[in-house]
Amino acid sequence: MVIDRKEAVAVLEEIALLLELKGENAFKIRAYENAARALSTMEIDFETFVRSGEIAKTKGFGKALVEKLIVLVETGTLPFLEELRAVFPASLLKLLQINGVGPKKVSLFYHKLGVTSVDELEAACKDGRIAGLSGMGKKTADNILASIERSRRFESFFHYYTARLTADQLLAALRDITGVQKIELAGSLRRFREVTKDIDILGVSEQPAAVMAAFTTLPLVAETLSRGRTKSSVVLTNGMQADLRLVAESEFANALQHFTGSKEHNVALRSRAQSRGMKVSEWGLFDVSNGGETLIPCDSEEAIYKKLGLCYVPPELRENLGEIECAETGVMPTLVTEADYRGVLHCHTFASDGANSVAELVAHARGAGHSFLAITDHSKSSFQANGLNEERILKQLEQIRDLQKDLKDFRLYAGVECDILLNGDLDLDDDVLKQLDIVIVSVHSGFSRNKRDMTERVVRAIEHPCSRVLAHPTGRLLLRREGYELDWDVVMAAAVANNVAIELNCNPLRLDMDWRLWRRARDQGVRCSLNPDAHRLSHFDFVRFGIGFCRKGWLTANDIVNCWSTDELNQFLGHP
DNA sequence: GCCGTTTTCGGCCCGACTGTTTTCAGTCG
């Protein structure tokens, strides 16, 4: 039995949760969590990684973890995990997902009441058994019931786009409250995580009590979970949780840094501070080198990083995935900005499954200040999307050439989003593809093939001489459908060798290729094409946040073909 | 369980809020 990387990550994560239930040392638990996280971002063949001994040289994998993972690779099972599973039924892990219920409570409920599932916990809350436990009371039981109800009523995660628009609405409402001097977004939304659980907002006010009162009674707020002087939590009408923290002006920079996270980034920063005789928290940076606690004033996030011997780390990069090591060198990449973006290379008209005409899309793109636009409707195999056959594509090509004649300082490219067939062939005749300015290739069928077959299929499409962009390369739909697996080493190498860009599709459901892969792709020489995959004019707005995901992938304007001049792009497309 | 220029033991990031208790444990981020 072969254990792959994903399975190993799942094993480590499960061990961490079970150890929590067991009440193990928190640092031991963290060691498993860190190892799982490290492994999940590595692009390695897990078995080779373990067998070759490479694992033992990797930070975070000590003697105990290496030994366990060797057993896992060699036998396909891990007795250590089996023993833990025998102590706690697997269903207990689900209880940990209930807000306000942590390992201690789960363990208590299990041992005292035999509770093993959410339904049983609900029953125990209702019939008074929970309130009867020592240390628990009626309020605890009521809160657990409310949490269970909330988790059933709403999915716990939201797509970035939904969450961000909700957050922007909330920010605007908060800025209108009397006594609010400053309001900023923090947390995972500021860091551009693709899905998010809650909205974290940080504010400055000299009248925190009044502001908290106003916040918890906003029309957007459905329910107040907690309300303190510096922190309040609410559930919004759409089911999202939002937290507001208030601090004094002098504390703002430190608080913003702290509440932007990630947790892992902050742990690393605090550890760094400690090793330099300092202490960092949401309240400030302190010199603790001579036993006391002397505040080191920081009026900006830049100042905090500087005092810690680092250059500024943009929020998108704060995941403790190498950004601190990079900041230590004094040189950070100049990340792409919204102003660098010059045009969309993937959109649909009503000829296939879009809502607008070519002319409408052109007008919209020009209105947005873009320099070029590529029309890329679906090809004939995507019949569910009314894909175009050779004849219809050629007709559209003619229409586009006509439109171009009247366009000054704007390049309109004729293209197609051509289906990659099961064997890796493209869906349209070569002599038609050759006439187009840009051919985007993508998979829309046969998602369940295995990794090897999918890799071969995609690489074959990349190697087609007309291919220029590989679109939404895994086909994932966030919170709905896993993407198919690809051997990224092979796919990226093929993309570089054949001068094919890989798309970062910024449709909020896709965000595909994932930000975690981009730094590595860029280092290998892969070009990115950032596209909204627009099916209507409003989808052009996806680019605004798409830029954030490019930044999260460490990309500069130079790495993204959509940020190039029309001349440079023409050269890339082979159409001077 | 990991780690090491105070190095093989003894550290390991920090604080707010809640609910239950009279000083604190659990949870969360």
Side-chain angles (χ1 to χ4, degrees), chain A residues 5-289:
Chain A
R5 193 175 52 95
K6 270 191 173 170
E7 289 163 326
V9 169
V11 163
L12 294 174
E13 283 174 344
E14 188 179 349
I15 290 174
L17 287 171
L18 289 166
L19 289 176
E20 268 200 276
L21 287 181
K22 207 179 153 196
E24 258 293 357
N25 178 321
F27 298 103
K28 185 190 279 194
I29 296 164
R30 205 162 84 193
Y32 281 95
E33 287 170 345
N34 285 344
R37 211 169 51 90
L39 208 51
S40 70
T41 63
M42 276 179 216
E43 270 300 324
I44 38 107
D45 177 75
F46 178 67
E47 202 169 324
T48 311
F49 178 62
V50 173
R51 288 189 191 275
S52 68
E54 190 61 31
I55 186 171
K57 293 184 229 157
T58 309
K59 202 176 158 221
F61 293 86
K63 192 161 164 277
L65 271 168
V66 170
E67 271 175 14
K68 289 191 177 75
L69 292 173
I70 287 174
V71 171
L72 184 66
V73 162
E74 287 184 346
T75 67
T77 62
L78 188 54
F80 179 69
L81 174 58
E82 300 305 327
E83 284 159 26
L84 283 171
R85 280 177 175 162
V87 180
F88 298 102
S91 58
L92 285 185
L93 299 183
K94 287 219 168 64
L95 296 179
L96 285 173
Q97 287 169 15
I98 299 167
N99 223 298
V101 177
K104 296 291 191 299
K105 282 184 186 154
V106 170
S107 182
L108 179 75
F109 300 159
Y110 174 57
H111 286 119
K112 295 280 181 192
L113 304 174
V115 166
T116 61
S117 70
V118 176
D119 287 344
E120 285 169 22
L121 176 58
E122 185 179 25
C125 286
K126 284 183 174 161
D127 63 22
R129 278 178 293 153
I130 295 293
L133 292 171
S134 126
M136 302 294 123
K138 183 167 184 315
K139 260 212 150 139
T140 305
D142 287 348
N143 284 344
I144 293 173
L145 279 177
S147 286
I148 291 174
E149 207 230 331
R150 258 198 311 280
S151 69
R152 284 190 182 141
R153 203 153 27 115
F154 299 108
E155 289 297 329
S156 52
F157 280 98
F158 293 77
H159 293 109
Y160 184 87
Y161 195 70
T162 314
R164 180 59 191 266
L165 294 187
T166 306
D168 286 347
Q169 248 186 306
L170 187 58
L171 289 167
L174 284 167
R175 290 194 176 109
D176 279 346
I177 293 175
T178 314
V180 168
Q181 293 157 256
K182 204 180 260 184
I183 283 288
E184 289 299 335
L185 186 60
S188 59
L189 282 175
R190 184 165 182 241
R191 298 200 318 278
F192 281 83
R193 290 297 294 235
E194 65 276 25
V195 293
T196 191
K197 256 185 165 164
D198 56 8
I199 299 170
D200 285 300
I201 296 175
L202 181 68
V204 170
S205 176
E206 281 161 11
Q207 305 145 49
V211 171
M212 286 304 188
F215 168 57
T216 51
T217 54
L218 284 174
L220 270 171
V221 171
E223 190 182 345
T224 302
L225 297 175
S226 69
R227 187 173 132 191
R229 195 183 61 84
T230 65
K231 182 195 162 183
S232 295
S233 294
V234 300
V235 178
L236 303 176
T237 47
N238 71 350
M240 284 207 80
Q241 188 177 322
D243 296 342
L244 174 65
R245 273 118 171 160
L246 292 174
V247 296
E249 175 71 46
S250 61
E251 298 157 342
F252 184 76
N254 283 98
L256 182 63
Q257 194 289 317
H258 177 86
F259 291 119
T260 295
S262 65
K263 196 173 83 182
E264 293 79 6
H265 176 84
N266 285 349
V267 166
L269 271 197
R270 283 195 280 265
S271 169
R272 182 181 177 86
Q274 207 175 40
S275 70
R276 305 182 150 223
M278 292 181 270
K279 184 185 91 167
V280 61
S281 80
E282 64 220 75
W283 298 116
L285 184 62
F286 300 91
D287 182 346
V288 293
S289 57

Side-chain angles (χ1 to χ4, degrees), chain A residues 431-444:
Chain A
D431 58 336
V432 170
L433 293 176
K434 277 182 202 154
Q435 297 181 54
L436 299 171
D437 302 320
I438 177 169
V439 174
I440 289 179
V441 298
S442 61
V443 168
H444 289 98

